[in-house]
Amino acid sequence: MMTTPVLFTCTIISVFLSCALGNDLARGWGDKIDWKTFEDGLQAAKEEEKPLMLVIHKSWCGACKALKPQFADSKEIEELSKNFIMVHTEDDEEPKGEQYIPDGGYIPRILFLDSEGNVRKDFYNVGGHDEYKYYYYSPDMIVETMKRVKENIHSPAGEEKKKIDEL
């Protein structure tokens, strides 16, 4: 049958292009991270019962440009990302709604959402500025929050609710 060699060739070309082009959604934020679009991320978070990490940035932003290569080079972020649904939005992809600007519309902003898509205001940059709680300028700060989210959001539902109520 002739379709088998054609199918095989198409598969090989597809694999080659995927490897050559890398992760299209990464856009410089880490090719080894499994990035998703915002809508796909919300769906995956619900299906996989994982928290979602949302990086909101702009292509023209100096602070975003400075953070991007540091983020991409961080092996700790790469490793911890396996515990999250990873999403980053650029320019007009930024989600609309008050919950995505909990203390202002500055950028870059990193928010953590539960598996139901709710922004978890209790997970912010503890070492950062009081007025810009979701602003991060170093991978170390991001890693610390990712560890706290991983530790607290992956606990059994009753324990998680208890921890939230205590805040």
Side-chain angles (χ1 to χ4, degrees):
M1 189 169 210
M2 283 295 220
T3 56
T4 303
V6 172
L7 183 61
F8 177 76
T9 303
C10 289
T11 303
I12 294 298
I13 290 171
S14 176
V15 168
F16 172 77
L17 287 174
S18 294
C19 292
L21 297 175
N23 181 346
D24 286 343
L25 292 175
R27 294 180 278 190
W29 286 86
D31 286 338
K32 294 181 181 175
I33 293 174
D34 183 19
W35 294 105
K36 300 201 178 310
T37 64
F38 182 65
E39 291 303 321
D40 289 347
L42 288 174
Q43 184 65 34
K46 191 171 202 157
E47 289 172 2
E48 297 177 36
E49 296 183 354
K50 282 184 169 180
L52 185 147
M53 180 174 160
L54 173 61
V55 181
I56 300 171
H57 63 96
K58 305 293 182 188
S59 59
W60 48 262
C61 165
C64 303
K65 289 178 183 179
L67 181 62
K68 184 193 292 192
Q70 295 176 58
F71 188 105
D73 290 343
S74 172
K75 296 299 180 199
E76 282 185 285
I77 289 175
E78 180 185 318
E79 188 60 35
L80 284 166
S81 75
K82 296 172 185 171
N83 299 289
F84 296 85
I85 302 300
M86 299 293 289
V87 173
H88 73 87
T89 61
E90 184 175 82
D91 300 329
D92 294 335
E93 299 167 350
E94 180 177 346
K96 306 293 183 238
E98 292 298 313
Q99 77 166 339
Y100 303 111
I101 51 172
D103 63 348
Y106 54 87
I107 47 173
R109 203 162 65 250
I110 298 178
L111 305 173
F112 293 90
L113 286 66
D114 64 23
S115 61
E116 295 299 314
N118 303 304
V119 172
R120 294 288 302 265
K121 294 180 184 178
D122 49 327
F123 295 115
Y124 56 88
N125 184 2
V126 174
H129 194 281
D130 287 343
E131 291 182 36
Y132 309 106
K133 290 182 177 182
Y134 307 94
Y135 173 75
Y136 296 79
Y137 57 84
S138 80
D140 293 339
M141 295 172 150
I142 298 167
V143 164
E144 287 308 311
T145 306
M146 290 176 83
K147 286 178 179 177
R148 282 192 301 114
V149 172
K150 180 184 171 210
E151 182 180 297
N152 291 294
I153 216 163
H154 287 296
S155 61
E159 288 297 311
E160 182 180 345
K161 180 168 178 15
K162 182 180 173 188
K163 289 178 185 179
I164 292 169
D165 291 342
E166 291 172 359
L167 293 175

